[in-house]
Amino acid sequence: MDFTDTPEEAAFRAEARSWLEANAPQAQPTGRLMSMEDPEAVKEQQDWQALKADAGWACLTWPEEYGGRGANAIQNVIWNQEESRFRTRVNIFSIGLGMLGPTIMTHGTEAQKARHLRPMLRGEEIWCQLFSEPGAGSDVAGLRTQCVPDGDDWVCNGQKIWTSGAHYSRWGALVARTDPDAVKHAGISYFILDMESPGIEIRPIQQIDGGAGFSEVFFNDVRIPGENLVGSINDGWRCAITTLMNERASLGTSVQGLGVEALIELARNTNWQDGTALDDPGVRRRLADFFIRSKGLQYTGYRSLTAISRGATPGPEGSIGKLVGAPLGQEMASFAVDLQEESGAVRGADAALEGAWQASYMGSPAMRLAGGTDEILRNIVAERVLGLPSEMRADKGMAFREIPTGSDR
Amino acid sequence: MNFDFSEDQKLLQQTARDYLAEHSSLDLMREVLESDATYSDTLWKRTAEMGWLGATIPEEHGGAGFGPLELALLAHEVGRALSPIPFSSSVYLATEALMLAGTPEQCARYLPRLASGELIGTFALSERPGRASTSHLETQFNGNQLTGTKFPVSDGQIAGLAIIVAREGESTSLVMVELDAPGVTCESLESLDPSRGLARLSFANAPAERLGEAGTGTRLADSLLDRAATLMAFEQIGGAERALEITREYCLDRYAFGRPIASFQALKHRLADLYVAIELARSNAYYAAWALDTGNAELGTAACAARAAASDAFELAGREIIQMHGGVGFTWEYDCHLFYRRAKLLSVALGSADLWREKLIQRLAA
Ligand SMILES: Cc1cc2nc3c(=O)[nH]c(=O)nc-3n(C[C@H](O)[C@H](O)[C@H](O)COP(=O)(O)OP(=O)(O)OC[C@H]3O[C@@H](n4cnc5c(N)ncnc54)[C@H](O)[C@@H]3O)c2cc1C
């Protein structure tokens, strides 16, 4: 066991740091993530991404032939640690770079790779994930958006929902039904969709925290060229799995939100009768529990990183990251609001820390849903790590069009 | 970064696992539980022959000269097997105390006998129900004699040497007593886990000697307890992991409503939660072991986190193994209660999970 950088790692860190010091824009004001509805913010991120791409820092884990660095997992972590000292903004390229790019590398044609990977890497073209539908979220294979062949093209009709970043995305990865008579997983295909195609309508959805990072996307006779099919016809579920596996691996090995150190600071600075909240035994017990879970999560990340750096593929145990981190972030935010007692209900500029904890409280439910709900992640751990039986399925062996839905009730 | 044990260390662990599978089955634990004995002398001698009792003792004193990482893995295996031996008392506590604070002469006197298993050591802080404090002790040391009562003392009835936290004048010291000395009385207590003994030790002017400088008892005990807590966490995680394995097997085999009970989501999700609790505890324990091995100052907080997480995980495993077995889980005949007992015994042995959480915050807030 050794946490210190090896000489090679130290050299890599020094190289990353000196490049960042010379090139990174000034550090962002701490804490709050700037909203991505603001086109200025999107532009600023794109400029930074292009600058990184020119120097080979845009996406370290991608192979060099696609503009990456062919770096290992540890180097990637080192880079993220160093970059996070300069940038606090949410990463609008992560869906493409972390999930969709790798799917195209695995299942795409040479032409698709040549056309799409570089602009994706440079941030010139942002990508979104068109998977979930009103009737198909956890059970995403239950999707109903249809693509039917027409000459060399496909014609798409239907609706997606919860599409993060749809409004600033140039391309989308679309899963759609191409054979409704097959059983549900067998009749799905995976497409690259030009978001500027005629017939696409994007309607932003208002979130509970006031933001509108995701949208409904409607397809009305949208034409998709045949060359945009990824993998073979009706083999889209396999490609979708690649996307979802990469999603689980890229989401969270850390607590979502402000972190336990910030929470302890809040307790230290919060008046509590004659002292501070940090004197209260009940508060102390909760803080200790949050600390222990946060550290457990962080070190579990180190363990998988060690395994990955030795050549292991990231396994389903990676699901622990989000399964622990998302509810923990929510519990910590909720507790931080409680610590402020009656003032806890004040948000915005008059609130403690300009309402950072209230914002975290309102944003935290998303992490427990997006990218696989807590319940789905528990199923994954139970079935793929512990080898327990999979869920009993009421739709097993049925042709897709026969499967009951809520509207039959 | 390398956050894993080495191949050699893993090999040692596998050897220990195989050895205990043969010589320390759950039947052995049950045999001790059902007899008047409070440990298996046969297994104790075997572990001594394997070199485990002296794992971290330098070779010059008859030990194997390993570091804490190797010992941590042995502790994990002893935990998995629920071995009925005073491993924690003698190895993580008494032996570590001597290596932490003993003079060369004291080490030379006791370490070889601890390594060979001929001498069993233990440690005593608590004097009565409730949370003990090193600054409010009644047991008194006057420079060469000890007077007072310690209750309960783990493995006290089989130990020959006890490390005692005692008041010395206005402050606190660590003191060593040989338990066959005049003025020492030992009374066996009923234990929640009869495969590990508990005793009341009373001292009436019993001959004793100091371990470390006068007045350093609080600091030494804190430091000793951090080390022991880290090792104990591995033992607890081993037990929790085994309980999860047994529960999983049972849930796959047992049918109700025409399907394996392992297919009920209520149970699947709780098994997943148990797995996660164990893995988070394991990660915290790895970190504490790393801090212990490298002498990193973060040991103070890391040991607390490891210990509290491991206590919670093993106790959860102890409750779930019974619950998921249904009625048979509550029978003497099934092994579930062995885990339920051992989990609680180990949880309170170095102070409850809440005590370690409180220590953690004291250290973080300092
Ligand atoms: C902020 C945010 C961003 C998102 N971004 C995207 C995106 O970019 N692209 C995209 O395609 N999707 C996106 N999603 C959608 C997300 O993947 C789905 O919301 C999620 O998979 C849940 O699906 P659902 O909303 O249909 O809920 P449902 O699947 O209807 O779930 C409702 C409840 O039932 C539970 N449940 C469902 N099935 C089971 C089961 N088998 N066992 C036990 N419980 C079950 C769920 O856990 C949940 O509690 C986003 C969601 C959010 C909140």
Side-chain angles (χ1 to χ4, degrees), chain A residues 1-6 9 74 77 81 264 268 278 281 283-285 287-289 291-293 295-297 299-303 305-306 309-310 317 320 323-324 374-379 381-383 385-392, chain B residues 1-7 9-10 69 244 248 251-252 259-260 262-265 267-273 275-276 279-280 282-284 286-287 289-290 293-294 298 301 304-305 308-309 312 354 357-358 360-362 364-366:
Chain A
M1 278 190 193
D2 188 2
F3 281 102
T4 47
D5 287 343
T6 62
E9 286 162 2
I74 306 270
V77 167
Q81 287 170 348
I264 293 171
R268 195 195 300 279
L278 200 47
V283 170
R284 294 166 77 88
R285 195 180 176 289
L287 289 176
D289 176 57
F291 179 88
I292 293 165
R293 277 194 281 161
K295 293 296 164 184
L297 191 59
Y299 305 146
T300 301
Y302 292 170
R303 282 170 58 204
L305 201 59
T306 301
S309 72
R310 292 180 183 165
E317 52 306 327
I320 292 185
L323 178 54
V324 175
D374 288 4
E375 291 74 20
I376 294 300
L377 295 181
R378 282 198 178 85
N379 280 350
V381 171
E383 293 168 19
V385 181
L386 298 177
L388 304 180
S390 46
E391 293 295 290
M392 304 273 269
Chain B
M1 177 199 305
N2 168 15
F3 195 37
D4 195 6
F5 290 89
S6 70
E7 290 310 314
Q9 288 161 346
K10 287 182 193 166
L69 297 181
L244 171 59
R248 173 184 171 276
C251 290
L252 286 169
R259 50 198 268 209
S263 69
F264 293 116
Q265 199 179 64
L267 299 192
K268 280 170 71 175
H269 282 191
R270 274 165 43 205
L271 286 168
D273 287 343
Y275 168 80
V276 169
E279 291 313 309
L280 292 191
R282 194 190 305 280
S283 300
N284 272 310
Y286 275 29
Y287 195 75
W290 167 79
D293 187 45
T294 55
E298 277 188 67
T301 49
C304 296
D312 286 350
D354 274 342
R357 276 188 275 265
E358 172 55 28
L360 171 62
I361 292 297
Q362 278 171 17
L364 286 174

Side-chain angles (χ1 to χ4, degrees), chain B residues 146-158:
Chain B
L146 187 71
T147 298
T149 299
K150 289 292 181 182
F151 170 97
V153 182
S154 297
D155 308 298
Q157 55 271 73
I158 53 174

Side-chain angles (χ1 to χ4, degrees), chain B residues 57-293:
Chain B
I57 294 177
E59 286 171 31
E60 51 172 309
H61 293 309
F66 285 141
L69 297 181
E70 284 81 4
L71 181 54
L73 292 178
L74 293 174
H76 184 268
E77 296 312 309
V78 166
R80 266 185 71 88
L82 302 184
S83 296
I85 48 172
F87 199 65
S88 52
S89 300
S90 197
V91 180
Y92 327 153
L93 287 159
T95 301
E96 290 290 326
L98 270 156
M99 295 204 297
L100 184 70
T103 61
E105 188 278 320
Q106 287 170 325
C107 288
R109 188 157 20 118
Y110 292 117
L111 289 180
R113 293 167 62 207
L114 286 165
S116 72
E118 164 199 344
L119 178 68
I120 293 173
T122 188
F123 170 83
L125 167 63
S126 169
E127 298 181 341
R128 65 180 66 79
R131 194 165 286 183
S133 153
T134 51
S135 44
H136 294 93
L137 294 169
E138 284 180 6
T139 305
Q140 278 204 53
F141 178 62
N142 67 5
N144 47 38
Q145 285 178 326
L146 187 71
T147 298
T149 299
K150 289 292 181 182
F151 170 97
V153 182
S154 297
D155 308 298
Q157 55 271 73
I158 53 174
L161 177 73
I163 313 295
I164 307 281
V165 194
R167 188 148 61 84
E168 181 173 13
E170 294 303 301
S171 67
T172 306
S173 298
L174 278 196
V175 174
M176 278 195 300
V177 202
E178 293 190 10
L179 296 180
D180 56 4
V184 180
T185 42
C186 172
E187 196 188 329
S188 274
L189 304 168
E190 281 185 47
S191 171
L192 200 59
D193 173 2
S195 71
R196 292 294 304 274
L198 296 174
R200 179 188 282 118
L201 290 182
S202 306
F203 308 99
N205 298 318
E209 66 185 293
R210 200 184 301 108
L211 194 58
E213 302 288 307
T216 58
T218 297
R219 186 174 58 74
L220 288 175
D222 266 357
S223 164
L224 177 63
L225 286 167
D226 286 349
R227 302 172 78 82
T230 301
L231 297 163
M232 186 73 100
F234 279 87
E235 183 169 336
Q236 293 172 299
I237 290 161
E241 175 188 285
R242 181 85 177 276
L244 171 59
E245 285 169 19
I246 293 173
T247 311
R248 173 184 171 276
E249 284 298 321
Y250 185 80
C251 290
L252 286 169
D253 287 342
R254 170 79 179 168
Y255 274 62
F257 300 93
R259 50 198 268 209
I261 60 170
S263 69
F264 293 116
Q265 199 179 64
L267 299 192
K268 280 170 71 175
H269 282 191
R270 274 165 43 205
L271 286 168
D273 287 343
L274 177 56
Y275 168 80
V276 169
I278 293 170
E279 291 313 309
L280 292 191
R282 194 190 305 280
S283 300
N284 272 310
Y286 275 29
Y287 195 75
W290 167 79
L292 182 58
D293 187 45

Side-chain angles (χ1 to χ4, degrees), chain A residues 95 128-139 161-165 207 214 365-366 369-376 379 391, chain B residues 265 269:
Chain A
I95 291 179
C128 62
Q129 179 194 12
L130 297 157
F131 278 34
S132 304
E133 297 184 7
S138 301
D139 182 16
I161 193 168
W162 320 128
T163 315
S164 300
Q207 299 163 190
F214 53 32
L369 298 167
T373 64
D374 288 4
E375 291 74 20
I376 294 300
N379 280 350
E391 293 295 290
Chain B
Q265 199 179 64
H269 282 191

